[in-house]
Amino acid sequence: MAVLHYTLDFKLRAPGKSDVSATVRGLQSVFQEQEMTENVHDSVGHGYLATFVGKNGRFAILRMHSHGLVTFDLQCLEGDDVAQVDNLLNALEKKLKALLDGNIQRIKRLPALIRGSDVDCYWPTADGRLMEYDIDEVVYEKDSAYQNIKILHSRQFGHILILNGDVNLAESDLPYTQAIMGSGKEHYAGKEVLILGGGDGGILHEAVKLKPKMITMVEIDELVIDGCRKHMRKTCGNVLDNLKGDCYEVLVQDCVPVLKKFAEQGRTFDYVINDLTAVPISTAPEEDSTWEFLRLILDLSIRVLRPGGKYFTQGNCVNLTDALSEYEKLLGRLSCKVDFSKEVVCVPSYMELWVFYTIWKK
C-alpha cells in the first residue's frame, strides 16, 4: 500500500516577529479535532519541532524554523479519507494565516507525493530534477543481462521506454527521432546507414521510409527489441517484426566489435547514427570510463564514415553545460580532425530541452 506525503510551507517576512508559543497554542484545536496526539522534540536551538500521530496511520511533522520557515509534512496511507485529509490541511492553512497575519511572504502547498506505489510515476531529468509522470500501468518489465527494461503507459506520452531508470523514448517523441536523423535536412535515398543502438526501432522505422540503399542497425539487447516490438508499435511500426528486411538488417550484437570489424574490412557508411543509451552498456573492456567509451565510439564511427558523411548523436540536456563542454572538448581529441554543429530540441517525454550533434570530418 502506498503512502501519500503532503507538504504545506509558510515563508515568513520577519523570522523573529511571530510568537512561536502563541502560534503553537493556536494550532492545538486543529490537531485535537483530528484526534492527533502531539509529541514535542528538542530541536537543539533550531526552533519548534513536533510530531503528531493520528487515526488511520496518519503521521505529521510541524517545524517552525528559527530562520522564518514553517513546514508541515503529513503522511497518510493510500485509501485514507481524502475529505478528512483535505479538511486537516485546509484548517491548518487557515489557522496559520490568521496566527501569522501580516508576516507571511509566501504560502506553498504541493500535491501529494506518492511513495511506494505499484506503478512508479516519478523519474528524474538528466540534471537531477524530479518529474511526476501521468503513468498508470506497467506494460512490460524485464531484467536482461545488461539492464532493467521497463515500458510504462503514460496518458499524455503513450508508452515510455525506460532503461535502468533513465527515460529513453516515448511514443510521443518523434522530435527526438527527427533531430538525431538531421531534422529533415538530409537525403537518405540510396545511402548506406549505420544505427548504433536504437532498440526501440524508432530511427529504423523513420529511416526505412526515406528509401536508403541499406540500413545496418546494431543493438546489444534483444529484450529491448522484444519489448518494443510488442508495446511500442506507434514508434517502430512493423520494422522489428523481422530482423532483416528489403533495405535493413538488425544485428543483435555489441557495437564495439562490430565497428572494429567494419573498420578492418574498410566498410563505410554515408550516415552513422549513435542512439546508444545515456550510460554505455557495452561488454567490451574499453568501457572502464564513460568518456573513454564515448571517445572509442566516436573514433570507430569516424573511421567507418565516408568522405562527406555525417555522424549524428544525442548530447544531453541544455542545463548540463559542463558535460556538453567536456563532450565538445573530446571532439578535439579524436584520431582525426572533425567539425560539428548542434541543435536544441524539446523532447516531449523528457520535459527538458535536449542537445543533438552533427559531426563530420574536416
Side-chain angles (χ1 to χ4, degrees):
M1 181 179 290
V3 171
L4 277 65
H5 189 144
Y6 298 86
T7 60
L8 176 61
D9 301 335
F10 289 77
K11 178 70 175 177
L12 306 184
R13 297 182 189 279
K17 181 180 178 181
S18 299
D19 186 332
V20 173
S21 298
T23 302
V24 171
R25 288 194 302 272
L27 294 175
Q28 293 299 318
S29 61
V30 175
F31 295 112
Q32 289 169 0
E33 288 173 6
Q34 294 290 329
E35 300 178 32
M36 300 188 79
T37 304
E38 179 187 33
N39 187 11
V40 180
H41 301 269
D42 183 0
S43 65
V44 198
H46 293 282
Y48 171 83
L49 169 63
T51 55
F52 301 83
V53 179
K55 58 186 178 180
N56 299 325
R58 293 176 195 160
F59 176 75
I61 302 172
L62 175 65
R63 292 205 66 171
M64 301 187 71
H65 300 263
S66 54
H67 62 275
L69 179 64
V70 179
T71 62
F72 180 72
D73 294 79
L74 173 65
Q75 295 183 13
C76 58
L77 297 176
E78 186 179 28
D80 198 350
D81 190 315
V82 176
Q84 287 186 9
V85 172
D86 281 342
N87 286 340
L88 169 58
L89 292 169
N90 290 337
L92 190 66
E93 183 174 347
K94 182 178 179 180
K95 181 66 75 171
L96 278 169
K97 281 180 180 178
L99 293 168
L100 302 172
D101 182 44
N103 194 24
I104 299 175
Q105 179 178 335
R106 184 177 69 247
I107 302 173
K108 190 67 175 182
R109 180 170 164 181
L110 296 175
L113 184 71
I114 305 170
R115 302 168 66 181
S117 174
D118 290 338
V119 179
D120 191 353
C121 57
Y122 301 101
W123 299 96
T125 58
D127 60 348
R129 291 171 293 115
L130 186 63
M131 294 294 178
E132 181 175 0
Y133 288 78
D134 55 351
I135 291 168
D136 55 15
E137 183 184 2
V138 179
V139 297
Y140 179 85
E141 181 168 13
K142 296 284 185 181
D143 284 305
S144 72
Y146 310 103
Q147 59 201 333
N148 173 260
I149 307 159
K150 289 185 179 72
I151 298 178
L152 309 179
H153 177 261
S154 156
R155 295 187 296 276
Q156 183 175 193
F157 303 119
H159 287 172
I160 306 176
L161 173 65
I162 297 178
L163 301 177
N164 279 347
D166 181 51
V167 175
N168 270 239
L169 194 79
E171 291 177 323
S172 62
D173 294 346
L174 184 59
Y176 175 100
T177 304
Q178 291 171 331
I180 205 169
M181 291 178 63
S183 297
K185 302 171 187 175
E186 304 299 323
H187 300 285
Y188 283 84
K191 302 294 179 63
E192 292 196 58
V193 183
L194 176 61
I195 301 172
L196 307 177
D200 52 74
I203 297 171
L204 181 61
H205 178 54
E206 295 302 318
V208 164
K209 298 176 185 178
L210 303 177
K211 304 187 183 305
K213 180 180 178 181
M214 186 63 188
I215 304 170
T216 302
M217 178 174 129
V218 188
E219 166 61 50
I220 195 172
D221 201 334
E222 191 166 12
L223 288 184
V224 172
I225 296 173
D226 291 344
C228 293
R229 177 191 295 123
K230 184 175 182 181
H231 300 291
M232 299 279 288
R233 303 290 290 191
K234 290 182 180 178
T235 295
C236 66
N238 62 3
V239 294
L240 296 180
D241 291 352
N242 297 290
L243 298 185
K244 195 168 186 177
D246 292 338
C247 66
Y248 70 89
E249 181 179 13
V250 178
L251 305 177
V252 183
Q253 298 179 39
D254 185 336
C255 72
V256 172
V258 172
L259 279 168
K260 289 179 177 179
K261 181 180 73 173
F262 287 165
E264 290 168 1
Q265 294 173 342
R267 185 174 175 185
T268 57
F269 300 86
D270 298 289
Y271 296 104
V272 177
I273 303 173
N274 180 354
D275 191 36
L276 299 172
T277 51
V279 177
I281 56 173
S282 167
T283 56
E286 288 91 341
E287 193 197 326
D288 291 335
S289 158
T290 299
W291 290 107
E292 282 305 303
F293 177 82
L294 292 175
R295 183 198 58 75
L296 175 64
I297 294 296
L298 276 162
D299 265 331
L300 289 171
S301 297
I302 297 300
R303 285 178 63 187
V304 301
L305 201 60
R306 289 175 182 162
K310 292 182 179 179
Y311 173 90
F312 298 116
T313 188
Q314 60 166 314
N316 220 310
C317 88
V318 294
N319 286 346
L320 292 178
T321 53
D322 290 345
L324 294 170
S325 177
E326 187 65 28
Y327 183 78
E328 291 168 17
K329 291 177 183 176
L330 181 66
L331 296 179
R333 301 195 298 268
L334 300 180
S335 56
C336 71
K337 292 185 178 180
V338 299
D339 209 342
F340 69 92
S341 63
K342 54 186 175 181
E343 177 184 16
V344 176
V345 172
C346 181
V347 180
S349 77
Y350 290 13
M351 293 194 266
E352 57 188 331
L353 297 177
W354 208 253
V355 178
F356 294 83
Y357 287 93
T358 301
I359 300 167
W360 60 92
K361 295 177 184 178
K362 282 188 177 180

